Amino acid sequence: MEALRPVRRTLLRDRAYEAIRDAIVAGEIEPGAVVRDAELAERLGLSRAPVREAFARLVDEGLLETKPQSYTRVTPVVAADVRDAAAVVGAMHELVTRVAVPRLRDADVDAMRAANDRFAAAVRAGDVDAALGADDALHDVLVRMSGNRAAAATVTRYTPLIRRLERRRFGEGGSCRSAGLHERLIDACAEGDAEEAVRVTAEIWRGLEELADEDTD
């Protein structure tokens, strides 16, 4: 019975990591909150070992900070850290866009347009989760079509730092992304104009860097 094989330890670690990361990004575990492996392990239905491994990864990625024998807590939203992350993630998106545009099929462009429609509707409705999910879906088309696994891993690693600030701004009634900019990006992709697509991508991520500059802790 192949489906009933024991779950590998690495999968439990990843499950713990994703659950805790998502709770931090969503603000369910607030900046400055102390986290305890035993408590989160119980809530997740896991042993403490995979939660500790998840903590180590989250410390490395800047979402948790730790003082040995004292505490592990959620990091504050620091403008400089968000700006640095936006610069790195933006550079990766420019890279994948340049490679992906010549490879896009009509179905890929259609998927981007559908994602942008969902994004615009979610922004109008004030649905933060749906808006950010649609934004991910739009840009993920280009990441996937580029085939660049290193760029994809970098985007995955640093995007959560940016998302915390975006969620805060959405919660304040603002929007950190523009459906209009997305439309320009999609039009460039549809026309096979990689240079224009890269320029629009740079504009999108430059806006996030500027947003971080405006933010105060």
Side-chain angles (χ1 to χ4, degrees):
M1 303 181 72
E2 192 73 9
L4 294 180
R5 290 182 301 171
V7 176
R8 297 203 318 268
R9 178 184 180 82
T10 54
L11 295 182
L12 294 177
R13 176 197 63 201
D14 291 345
R15 193 174 109 198
Y17 162 77
E18 290 169 2
I20 299 167
R21 178 202 62 196
D22 291 349
I24 292 171
V25 171
E28 295 173 16
I29 307 177
E30 297 181 351
V34 173
V35 292
R36 297 177 176 82
D37 55 7
E39 177 183 334
L40 288 180
E42 182 177 358
R43 290 176 61 183
L44 293 170
L46 300 172
S47 69
R48 293 171 69 176
V51 172
R52 287 173 180 163
E53 293 177 38
F55 278 9
R57 184 172 172 185
L58 290 163
V59 167
D60 185 53
E61 295 180 0
L63 290 174
L64 292 179
E65 58 188 2
T66 187
K67 182 177 180 181
Q69 308 304 318
S70 182
Y71 61 77
T72 298
R73 66 187 180 194
V74 178
T75 57
V77 179
V78 178
D81 292 343
V82 176
R83 184 175 59 250
D84 290 347
V88 170
V89 173
M92 293 299 100
H93 277 291
E94 289 179 48
L95 172 64
V96 301
T97 297
R98 190 180 304 279
V99 175
V101 168
R103 302 177 178 178
L104 294 175
R105 303 157 300 185
D106 289 345
D108 300 315
V109 175
D110 289 345
M112 294 175 71
R113 291 197 189 282
N116 197 36
D117 288 344
R118 296 195 302 274
F119 173 83
V123 170
R124 289 193 298 270
D127 188 335
V128 181
D129 290 331
L132 295 180
D135 184 79
D136 280 339
L138 189 158
H139 291 284
D140 282 351
V141 172
L142 295 168
V143 174
R144 184 180 70 255
M145 292 304 295
S146 77
N148 191 322
R149 295 174 64 186
T154 302
V155 168
T156 298
R157 173 171 179 164
Y158 290 106
T159 295
L161 288 172
I162 306 165
R163 286 300 197 218
R164 290 204 292 169
L165 179 56
E166 287 187 285
R167 290 188 70 94
R168 175 194 290 177
R169 287 306 175 91
F170 269 118
E172 293 170 352
S175 173
C176 308
R177 306 285 180 114
S178 164
L181 277 176
H182 285 163
E183 287 176 9
R184 285 175 51 200
L185 172 61
I186 295 165
D187 288 344
C189 290
E191 294 167 6
D193 190 342
E195 293 304 320
E196 175 62 13
V198 170
R199 280 192 290 271
V200 178
T201 298
E203 187 174 346
I204 291 170
W205 289 93
R206 187 163 56 247
L208 285 170
E209 291 183 59
E210 291 169 358
L211 180 73
D213 287 333
E214 296 169 4
D215 195 65
T216 55
D217 296 339

